Amino acid sequence: MTRDDSGRHTLVHGASFAAVDAAGDITGARGPAPDGLFVRDARHLSRWQLTVDGRVPQVLAPAAGDGTLRSVLSPHGSRTEPPACTLFREQAVLDGAFVETVRVVSNRQGPLSVRLALTVDADFSDQFELRADHRTYSKPGAVRGRELTEDGVLEFRYRRGDWRARTAVTAEPAPDAVEETGTGARRLVWRLDCAPGAGAEVTLRVGASGNGAPAPPVVPRSPREAARLLAEEAADYAEGVALAAGWPELGAACTRGLADLAALQVPAAGPDGEPLRVPGAGAPWFQTLLGRDALLTSLFLLPYRPGPAAATLAALAAAQATEETAARVAQPGKIVHEVRHGELAHFGQVPFGRYYGSVDATPLFLVLLGAYTERTGDRGPARRLEKHARAAVTWMLDHGGLTSRGYLAHRADEGGLAHQNWRDTPGAICAADGTRPSGPVLTAGAQGYAYDALRRTARLARQVWDDPVYGDLLDEGASDLRARFRRDFWLPEHAFPALALDEDGRRIDALASDAGHLLWSGLLEKEEGEAVGRRLLAPDFFSGWGVRTLASGQAAFHPLAYHRGAVWPHDNALLALGLARYGLHEEARRLAHGLAEAAAHTDHRLPEVLAGYERTRHPLPVAAPYACVRESRSAAAPLALLTAVSGG
């Protein structure tokens, strides 16, 4: 369970998550923090509100817990007339399923009769229409239905053309009545009789079938059964992983991260249609396959669990673009950025069904393929995915811009992303004074990924594909890229690389953490890399918890700006690996200490983003607003830190 800055609490498993309030209720909220049960991008529960004797109960203990969510409620009372009963709620989520028990315990010495009611609805809203961007979407021909079946199942259905969704609610014991509310919602009503000091229990089970789901949901009998299944899954995921025995804080962060990653896996399919489980990006907005996120998460996990890397490579190869489609920013050989299953994506009302707006997923695909082969000695994926790898290289050279511009380039996508590297928010690519470039942008980090991709693919060509001529060509291209980069990106007045170049080749001179990605990829020469690594641990970059995305003191800096001053754990994990690569082991340990200590303040879970406030002025880490409450790259970041400090 995770609590976000809106006060909502989130349970996540697979392609599903539930966001509820402190009482465990779902109110149908919209905007930046909607609540509900979401499955494959659609809201399958939009109302789930409990009342006792016609009134909303008060919260005695707000929702909390891990694996299951527990809250304690009671009817309103006073000092002289304490509440007649107490309600204990327990809730859990498995992929496609939500289960709850409500136990009503009498506080009286005599008999007690309680009218318990639960208002339920499913609006099947798409995640994209719930966001606070003031956009509306037409839905011609959409039909909603509600039915109480003969066997007591309350069923909500939605259909629009060939897109269908269904939510089925069952209760034990069956409600004494199912009432219409006049709003489309249904109210389940029980008359519960409790003996003195005793209680009565109701169990509610919800199965949510999203459009095109690979299999019907399996709904557990109770929250405790769900918790047991989740615990077993987490134990299996962490089995055999050797953690930092001498560093308790880092070891605890790794343990928490592995448990979160077990729950964040989402279904996907490989090139032959084989079912796979890959890292989903994060809840609430991105619990789906995002190419960049899955690739980096798999890279961080690789020394400990190579399975996610193999699955991610297969899933992304299956989704690799084979033709040019402007609306989806697709070109042959390009690796997908985002895969969505919701209604709006299905009908093309948003471009994200398969969206290719990423300049860096394609080189990172090649980096992971090479790293997996080198780490495991398993050449099977490299042989199987040879044509996909060659197509990815061709995309980098042709559509990506390496041949025509000398660098990978991207431009803003109308209706899609403002930027197509990891800094994808408007204004994230800027000069030190905040000036934003127009037209195509060439970001430094993407060139590092391209360099590493060419080097690693050259080794695959020689060692796996028996094509040394191709390998020599790729190595030559990598060497040329390194020389060009030093000439074009280096800021001599700062002894530091520029964040990017604009379309005319002018340096965008913000001092940014992307320089750490260049250390990770090995693009910088040794002396320059060592100097850059030490510079990134200077006070204007290093907050005490981690390295900021922009150094403070620049006009563009803001401690709460996502990509202009906040601290991203995954960004720092890449930096730590880069520091270790250049022999800066003390700096890597200092960085790892800051992040591990930040995690210790939040139950050893690293958030997606931390505010860039100075630790000496703010002794507790501050989570940035609107971040994912659970994010796979952050969950895997402690394992990358462990690799960096242990030389793994």
Side-chain angles (χ1 to χ4, degrees):
M1 187 279 298
T2 312
R3 180 180 181 273
D4 66 21
D5 57 335
S6 71
R8 304 205 192 286
H9 304 260
T10 304
L11 292 163
V12 185
H13 186 250
S16 305
F17 70 91
V20 303
D21 66 14
D25 280 345
I26 294 167
T27 64
R30 306 172 76 89
D35 58 4
L37 172 66
F38 291 84
V39 179
R40 292 169 67 85
D41 302 328
R43 184 157 68 175
H44 280 256
L45 283 178
S46 54
R47 292 282 299 280
W48 190 263
Q49 293 177 280
L50 198 65
T51 59
V52 182
D53 294 327
R55 295 187 64 193
V56 175
Q58 64 182 342
V59 178
L60 301 182
D66 199 39
T68 62
L69 196 60
R70 297 179 179 89
S71 54
V72 183
L73 317 174
S74 76
H76 292 266
S78 66
R79 290 184 179 180
T80 56
E81 278 197 50
C85 64
T86 304
L87 289 78
F88 298 86
R89 299 182 83 170
E90 188 171 8
Q91 300 167 318
V93 166
L94 286 183
D95 203 359
F98 177 83
V99 60
E100 172 172 353
T101 58
V102 182
R103 182 165 178 78
V104 182
V105 176
S106 172
N107 297 325
R108 290 185 174 172
Q109 299 305 309
L112 177 68
S113 182
V114 173
R115 185 180 187 270
L116 185 73
L118 182 74
T119 302
V120 184
D121 200 4
D123 64 5
F124 299 103
S125 292
D126 191 287
Q127 280 199 39
F128 286 96
E129 65 183 308
L130 293 174
R131 297 184 180 186
D133 58 6
H134 309 294
R135 281 185 277 187
T136 59
Y137 301 90
S138 63
K139 295 186 172 185
V143 178
R144 291 179 61 187
R146 304 163 183 82
E147 178 186 6
L148 183 64
T149 66
E150 292 182 359
D151 53 358
V153 178
L154 177 58
E155 192 173 272
F156 298 87
R157 297 183 305 279
Y158 182 87
R159 183 181 77 252
R160 178 183 165 200
D162 61 346
W163 198 91
R164 298 166 187 268
R166 173 180 177 269
T167 301
V169 181
T170 59
E172 186 179 337
D176 297 303
V178 177
E179 302 174 348
E180 295 194 16
T181 63
T183 64
R186 297 293 185 267
R187 184 179 297 113
L188 311 182
V189 181
W190 295 263
R191 178 62 65 180
L192 302 177
D193 297 317
C194 302
E201 187 171 280
V202 173
T203 298
L204 297 136
R205 304 171 71 236
V206 180
S209 300
N211 189 67
V218 176
V219 185
R221 296 298 310 172
S222 67
R224 296 194 177 182
E225 180 185 347
R228 177 181 61 79
L229 294 171
L230 291 169
E232 290 175 356
E233 183 179 78
D236 288 344
Y237 201 84
E239 185 177 3
V241 177
L243 301 178
W247 193 340
E249 294 86 359
L250 183 55
C254 290
T255 299
R256 168 64 72 187
L258 286 166
D260 284 349
L261 287 164
L264 288 169
Q265 296 177 92
V266 298
D272 297 320
E274 70 274 20
L276 302 166
R277 303 286 288 184
V278 300
W285 290 123
F286 300 104
Q287 193 46 21
T288 187
L289 174 60
L290 266 65
R292 179 193 305 122
D293 299 62
L295 288 160
L296 290 174
T297 299
S298 298
L299 278 159
F300 294 164
L301 279 168
L302 182 57
Y304 311 96
R305 284 194 59 84
T312 294
L313 288 165
L316 293 177
Q320 187 176 33
T322 57
E323 59 185 15
E324 189 163 355
T325 308
R328 296 186 292 140
V329 204
Q331 293 115 14
K334 201 174 185 184
I335 295 299
V336 74
H337 171 64
E338 184 170 353
V339 177
R340 290 288 183 176
H341 305 281
E343 175 189 359
L344 298 181
H346 180 80
F347 289 105
Q349 293 174 276
V350 295
F352 302 109
R354 278 194 183 181
Y355 178 67
Y356 294 83
S358 166
V359 73
D360 47 17
T362 306
L364 286 171
F365 173 82
L366 295 167
V367 170
L368 181 60
L369 182 62
Y372 175 87
T373 306
E374 293 162 19
R375 184 83 197 190
T376 67
D378 176 11
R379 297 185 174 191
R383 291 193 183 99
R384 183 190 187 196
L385 304 180
E386 178 182 355
K387 70 174 184 179
H388 301 88
R390 288 177 181 265
V393 171
T394 300
W395 177 84
M396 289 200 304
L397 295 172
D398 296 345
H399 292 284
L402 277 184
T403 299
S404 60
R405 294 180 178 272
Y407 299 106
L408 293 183
H410 76 264
R411 63 171 65 242
D413 171 34
E414 186 177 351
L417 296 173
H419 292 292
Q420 295 181 21
N421 70 327
W422 81 273
R423 295 173 179 263
D424 56 7
T425 53
I429 306 298
C430 63
D433 63 2
T435 304
R436 303 181 186 186
S438 60
V441 176
L442 294 69
T443 54
Q447 316 317 319
Y449 305 158
Y451 171 82
D452 197 13
L454 292 171
R455 289 289 193 213
R456 291 182 188 270
T457 310
R459 288 195 287 273
L460 291 179
R462 295 190 186 94
Q463 298 170 9
V464 182
W465 304 335
D466 193 24
D467 192 346
V469 173
Y470 188 55
D472 290 345
L473 287 171
L474 297 183
D475 269 335
E476 182 182 349
S479 296
D480 290 346
L481 174 58
R482 192 182 214 192
R484 282 195 304 277
F485 187 90
R486 175 64 177 80
R487 181 193 69 211
D488 296 337
F489 276 80
W490 195 250
L491 298 167
E493 67 274 25
H494 297 290
F496 203 81
L499 172 58
L501 304 180
D502 68 13
E503 62 180 323
D504 296 319
R506 290 187 294 261
R507 298 176 187 127
I508 299 170
D509 64 353
L511 303 185
S513 63
D514 294 50
H517 299 220
L518 302 176
L519 301 181
W520 174 63
S521 63
L523 182 59
L524 300 180
E525 297 288 354
K526 181 173 174 55
E527 289 185 6
E528 291 172 345
E530 290 172 352
V532 166
R534 294 189 182 97
R535 178 67 181 85
L536 285 164
L537 270 294
D540 58 346
F541 265 118
F542 185 59
S543 73
W545 304 116
V547 171
R548 302 176 176 99
T549 46
L550 282 188
S552 63
Q554 301 175 94
F557 172 81
H558 190 299
L560 292 176
Y562 242 38
H563 298 112
R564 289 187 291 107
V567 174
W568 288 67
H570 94 272
D571 182 35
N572 279 253
L574 289 171
L575 171 54
L577 292 169
L579 291 170
R581 178 171 187 161
Y582 281 79
L584 300 173
H585 301 294
E586 184 56 38
E587 287 81 358
R589 290 188 67 82
R590 184 181 172 201
L591 184 56
H593 268 292
L595 287 164
E597 289 166 3
H601 286 283
T602 53
D603 199 20
H604 302 289
R605 175 181 285 131
L606 283 171
E608 181 187 23
V609 195
L610 289 164
Y613 295 120
E614 176 61 45
R615 183 175 179 176
T616 57
R617 297 183 180 180
H618 303 274
L620 295 176
V622 178
Y626 309 118
C628 284
V629 294
R630 287 206 213 173
E631 206 247 7
S632 62
R633 294 174 301 177
S634 291
L639 293 152
L641 298 175
L642 178 59
T643 301
V645 300
S646 64

